[in-house]
Each structure stands twice: as structure tokens, then as C-alpha cells.
């Protein structure tokens, strides 16, 4: 027997009034189980809402540009499935399809919209266009499926200005709110040099790439490099894992570093702040983001209330979050609200690097591979296990002395972990 199934917007975290950027079906279409019906887009993620059953689309309740929230009716299906409809299927599958950026951002600023839009652009981009007096429909989008980014609006304005002076500016030459006077991006037929293969970027890399580009251009990055002696800490870590092997929890150096970073944020609260215009917002929470490597790119889950957790709790929760990231099952709340981020390349290699700050955070800590080095102890050189630290910071908020103090204090804690409770 057929039955009518109401498909509604699932739990999408704290997001409200999220724009529909794609409608992938129409009345009369036959859809399969888990087939995507519509795509939603916040400032931080795109979410495909899949079908909870095989059936026929009888009534379509949304259009491109509509603003929807959890519980909003999307589609009415006529289903012939013999299996009963499970109300949590959509929520579970939507989380599976969640695409996230490599870096944690501020909570989305989604504006209420009362009119119907045909152009694909987030509410913040529409607001930016309105502030410049630009009709968003006139702006060509350069992102996936013609989506309009903030850079496209800026490029459109610059292009109009330059055309008045007889100069055309390509959208690829503008990447900020100010004139960069860059040469056009080179157009090359790579195939004339030999065989090539074209492969589309993953959705995660498309979204994160735009954010990283913005952060690199708009934040004055400076990186402070230092080293921490973790010889004794590594011995302690190995001992802990040996003693607690039956628990199945493996404590990593990252867990100790997260706990040490919490202590450093308490001592130097400027690193737990964000710029808001001419104001500096000091956060009273201690949430630590960490980069997780996934098949589709880096994702940064956020460990909440890290100051309330010991290293075993941190190790357990970071492992769980990393697993969800690899499986594409993180929800929106699990990638928001970070105080500072940590990018660890220790398992791969390298000595130092310059991690890009995740706006609106003001700093990010990079960890490279620890190696044994000869260190002078006052009498002789002895082998010590040294962990490279690369702290990138926003020079508008943090000066070089503060950054040096942060790394120095972090090194003191990692060299003698008893200091973490002082």
C-alpha cells in the first residue's frame, strides 16, 4: 500500500532560516531512498536533505531562495515502501551528507528574508551587496553552480569602476575589499604540453578554499616558531597507555597539547578573543578546534569545554570527533565556537610551517614532527625529544612579545606537565 510521507527539514544544529540553494526534484519524479531532494546552505556548511524512502514526489513545498528551519515541510512523497517510515532517517542521513570547511568559523549570521531570490548567494553576501547598492541578480557567480561569493560582489564593483576608466578587471584579480592591482590569472592550455586529467575539487575544498583565501588576505599573519622539550612527557604518555591498555583509549601528544593550550589561554586571554569592528570580544569559554584529515580534505571539529576535561577525556572525545569527521557525520554544532585551533602534522613530517588563522579566531597553533636533538644541559649535550611549535597570530590583536610568551609558556608546561594545574 502507498502512503503519504511528509519530508521535513531535519535537525541542522543552531541554524535558522537557512536558504534553499538547490531544488533537485520536481513533482512526478521518482526518487530512491537517500536520494538528495534539496540543498541548504548556511555561511558554514551545505546540507543535502535526502529522501527517507523510495517514492514519487507528489507535492513540492519549497523553491530556490526560500528560507527554511528545522521542521519546515519540504516535500510530500507517495511511498510504496513496505518498511515503516522512520522519523529520524532524514536527520541521520543529512548529517552524513554534511560538507564542512578546514577551519572553524564564527556562528553564522543569517539574515531574515521575505522575498523570493533566484540568485544563489548566502544572506551575508546579499547584505554586503545591499550595503554597496548592488542588485545581487546582476553579479555573476564564480562558485559551484553559479553561487555568488563576497569576492564576486567586490569584483563586480571594481569591474564597473574600472570600465568607466576603460579598464576591465577579471573577477579572479580581486580577492579583497581593497584594490590589489594584480595581473590577470594566467590562462594556459596545459594539454599542449602533454597528457592531463581534470578533476573537480571536493565540495569541502571549494568551501574551505574560499575561507582560507579570505583569511590569508585579510589577516596580517605572523608566525612565531619555537620548540618544546617533550622527552619526559613522551615517556609519561607511553607509560599511561601501557597501564590503561584495556580501556581502549590511546592518549596522544595532541591530548596533552590541548590541555596545555587551555592553561595558556587562561594565562594569556588575548589569544581567546575575536575582533568585532573596533571591539575585542574576550570569550569566557575554552573550546579547542583541531584539524582532522578526511578523504575529502581537512575538517576542524571543536572540543567544547576543554578546561573541564582531563587528558583521557580529551583523547577519547577527539578520537570520536575525528571518526565522525572522516565519516562525514559531524553536525553543525560540532564545528562552531572555537577559541583557538591546532593543526598537527606530526604524524606526517616537517619541521615548521605557517598555519592559516581560522577567522574570527586570532591564533592557530601548528605542530610538526618531534625529533631527538642534542641539547646543552649546562655540562654536556644530551639527546632530547623536541616538538616544533608554529604559532600564527593576528598582528592586529597580538604583538610579537605576546606570541613569544605564549609559546614559551606552552613549552614550559609540555616540558613539565605538573605546571598545567598551577
Amino acid at each position: 500500500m502507498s502512503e503519504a510521507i511528509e519530508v521535513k527539514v531535519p535537525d541542522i544544529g543552531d541554524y535558522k532560516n537557512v536558504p534553499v540553494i538547490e531544488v533537485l526534484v520536481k513533482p512526478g519524479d521518482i526518487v530512491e531512498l537517500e536520494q538528495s531532494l534539496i540543498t541548504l546552505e548556511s555561511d558554514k556548511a551545505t546540507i543535502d536533505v535526502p529522501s527517507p524512502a523510495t517514492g514519487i514526489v507528489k507535492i513540492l513545498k519549497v523553491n530556490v531562495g526560500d528560507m527554511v528551519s528545522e521542521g519546515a515541510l519540504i516535500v510530500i512523497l507517495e511511498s510504496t515502501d513496505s518498511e515503516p517510515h522512520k522519523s529520524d532517517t532524514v536527520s541521520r542521513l543529512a548529517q552524513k551528507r554534511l560538507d564542512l570547511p578546514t577551519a572553524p568559523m564564527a556562528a553564522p549570521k543569517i539574515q531574515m528574508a521575505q522575498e523570493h531570490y533566484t540568485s544563489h548567494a548566502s544572506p551575508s553576501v546579499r547584505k554586503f551587496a545591499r550595503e554597496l547598492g548592488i542588485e545581487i541578480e546582476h553579479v555573476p557567480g564564480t562558485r559551484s553552480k553559479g553561487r555568488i561569493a563576497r569576492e564576486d560582489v567586490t569584483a563586480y564593483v571594481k569591474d564597473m569602476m574600472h570600465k568607466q576608466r576603460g579598464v576591465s578587471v577579471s573577477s579572479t584579480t580581486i580577492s579583497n575589499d581593497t584594490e590589489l592591482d594584480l595581473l590577470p590569472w594566467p590562462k594556459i592550455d596545459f594539454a599542449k604540453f602533454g597528457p592531463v586529467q581534470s578533476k573537480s575539487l571536493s565540495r569541502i575544498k571549494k568551501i574551505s578554499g574560499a575561507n582560507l583565501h579570505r583569511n590569508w588576505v585579510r589577516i596580517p599573519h605572523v608566525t612565531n616558531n619555537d620548540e618544546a622539550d617533550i622527552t619526559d612527557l613522551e615517556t609519561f604518555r607511553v607509560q599511561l597507555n601501557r597501564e590503561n591498555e584495556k580501556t581502549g583509549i590511546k592518549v596522544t601528544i595532541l591530548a596533552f597539547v590541548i590541555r596545555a593550550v587551555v592553561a595558556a589561554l587562561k594565562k594569556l586571554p588575548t589569544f581567546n578573543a575575536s575582533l568585532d569592528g573596533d571591539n575585542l570580544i574576550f570569550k569566557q569559554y575554552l573550546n579547542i578546534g583541531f584539524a582532522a584529515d578526511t578523504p575529502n580534505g581537512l575538517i576542524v571539529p571543536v572540543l567544547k569545554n576543554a578546561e573541564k576535561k582531563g587528558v583521557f577525556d580529551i583523547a577519547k572525545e577527539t578520537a570520536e570527533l575525528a571518526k565522525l569527521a572522516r565519516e562525514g557525520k559531524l553536525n553543525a554544532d560540532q564545528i562552531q565556537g572555537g577559541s583557538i585551533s591546532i593543526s598537527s602534522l606530526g604524524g606526517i613530517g616537517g619541521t615548521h610551517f605557517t598555519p592559516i588563522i581560522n577567522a574570527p579566531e586570532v591564533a592557530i597553533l601548528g605542530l610538526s614532527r618531534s625529533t631527538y636533538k642534542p641539547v646543552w644541559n649546562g655540562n654536556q649535550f644530551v639527546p632530547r625529544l623536541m616538538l616544533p611549535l608554529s604559532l600564527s597570530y593576528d598582528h592586529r590583536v597580538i604583538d610579537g612579545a605576546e606570541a613569544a610568551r605564549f609559546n614559551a609558556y606552552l613549552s614550559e608546561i609540555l616540558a613539565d606537565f605538573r605546571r598545567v594545574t598551577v
Side-chain angles (χ1 to χ4, degrees):
M1 291 180 58
S2 64
E3 63 170 318
I5 297 177
E6 293 187 344
V7 183
K8 299 180 179 181
V9 176
D11 179 6
I12 52 176
D14 295 332
Y15 296 136
K16 305 293 182 184
N17 300 303
V18 182
V20 178
I21 64 167
E22 289 183 281
V23 176
L24 305 172
V25 296
K26 62 183 183 298
D29 283 357
I30 299 175
V31 297
E32 301 294 331
L33 175 66
E34 301 189 19
Q35 179 179 333
S36 296
L37 302 175
I38 66 171
T39 301
L40 311 177
E41 181 177 61
S42 74
D43 286 349
K44 302 296 176 284
T46 58
I47 307 170
D48 285 354
V49 178
S51 174
T54 299
I56 301 172
V57 177
K58 301 301 292 182
I59 302 176
L60 185 63
K61 303 294 289 186
V62 295
N63 296 300
V64 172
D66 287 354
M67 311 295 281
V68 297
S69 301
E70 179 183 349
L73 182 60
I74 300 171
V75 166
I76 296 178
L77 291 179
E78 180 181 286
S79 172
T80 55
D81 282 354
S82 58
E83 292 292 326
H85 175 58
K86 294 181 174 57
S87 60
D88 66 340
T89 300
V90 173
S91 177
R92 174 178 56 81
L93 295 176
Q95 290 184 4
K96 183 178 180 181
R97 293 295 300 252
L98 185 63
D99 284 342
L100 308 171
T102 62
M105 307 293 174
K109 298 179 179 178
I110 299 179
Q111 306 296 321
M112 295 290 291
Q114 302 298 330
E115 59 187 299
H116 178 78
Y117 294 116
T118 57
S119 299
H120 293 185
S122 68
S124 62
V125 172
R126 296 182 188 280
K127 180 183 178 183
F128 179 57
R130 289 197 300 270
E131 290 172 347
L132 296 177
I134 300 300
E135 294 184 14
I136 195 71
E137 289 78 9
H138 295 166
V139 179
T142 61
R143 299 296 186 265
S144 175
K145 299 186 184 299
R147 183 168 60 87
I148 301 170
R150 184 184 178 97
E151 290 84 356
D152 297 329
V153 177
T154 303
Y156 178 80
V157 174
K158 297 292 184 182
D159 197 32
M160 295 301 294
M161 293 172 62
H162 281 260
K163 281 181 179 178
Q164 293 178 1
R165 301 198 299 265
V167 180
S168 178
V169 180
S170 169
S171 61
T172 58
T173 68
I174 302 297
S175 59
N176 198 6
D177 296 342
T178 58
E179 177 60 75
L180 298 182
D181 291 327
L182 300 179
L183 292 173
W185 194 261
K187 299 292 185 180
I188 298 175
D189 179 12
F190 297 100
K192 71 180 183 180
F193 303 112
V196 297
Q197 180 182 10
S198 178
K199 183 178 180 181
S200 298
L201 289 172
S202 69
R203 182 176 291 177
I204 289 178
K205 288 188 176 180
K206 289 178 182 178
I207 296 173
S208 63
N211 287 316
L212 290 169
H213 187 192
R214 175 203 61 197
N215 295 348
W216 180 252
V217 170
R218 301 190 64 175
I219 299 173
H221 281 67
V222 182
T223 303
N224 180 285
N225 295 313
D226 206 337
E227 290 182 323
D229 187 338
I230 61 168
T231 311
D232 297 336
L233 182 60
E234 175 63 10
T235 300
F236 179 53
R237 185 189 72 84
V238 172
Q239 179 184 342
L240 279 180
N241 284 335
R242 186 182 302 115
E243 293 173 353
N244 296 274
E245 186 176 0
K246 293 182 179 180
T247 66
I249 301 174
K250 184 178 180 180
V251 178
T252 63
I253 282 294
L254 177 62
F256 286 104
V257 172
I258 289 176
R259 191 67 186 86
V261 166
V262 167
L265 292 180
K266 289 180 179 179
K267 186 176 180 66
L268 299 164
T270 305
F271 288 83
N272 191 18
S274 287
L275 273 175
D276 184 15
D278 293 331
N279 298 319
L280 197 56
I281 307 300
F282 288 88
K283 303 160 192 172
Q284 304 303 307
Y285 49 84
L286 293 162
N287 301 336
I288 312 299
F290 65 97
D293 194 12
T294 78
N296 293 317
L298 289 177
I299 298 176
V300 184
V302 177
L303 177 72
K304 301 296 178 63
N305 303 312
E307 77 281 7
K308 299 179 181 178
K309 296 165 182 171
V311 290
F312 274 101
D313 297 322
I314 293 173
K316 182 175 183 294
E317 191 167 339
T318 53
E320 292 171 349
L321 287 170
K323 183 174 183 291
L324 290 174
R326 289 190 296 271
E327 296 173 350
K329 295 181 180 179
L330 286 170
N331 60 47
D333 182 62
Q334 292 170 316
I335 60 166
Q336 297 177 3
S339 300
I340 191 173
S341 298
I342 299 173
S343 179
S344 177
L345 302 179
I348 303 173
T351 53
H352 291 92
F353 64 107
T354 300
I356 299 177
I357 298 166
N358 299 315
E361 298 169 12
V362 296
I364 180 171
L365 178 67
L367 307 176
S368 297
R369 174 176 287 179
S370 57
T371 58
Y372 279 95
K373 293 184 176 182
V375 177
W376 184 255
N377 66 3
N379 296 312
Q380 60 181 343
F381 284 101
V382 294
R384 305 296 292 180
L385 185 61
M386 307 301 293
L387 173 66
L389 307 176
S390 299
L391 178 70
S392 290
Y393 57 94
D394 187 336
H395 211 348
R396 296 171 299 177
V397 178
I398 298 165
D399 59 36
E402 289 177 297
R405 291 189 191 101
F406 186 96
N407 263 350
Y409 184 65
L410 195 63
S411 297
E412 289 179 6
I413 295 174
L414 294 174
D416 184 356
F417 208 70
R418 293 172 298 179
R419 296 176 180 269
V420 78
T421 58
V422 177

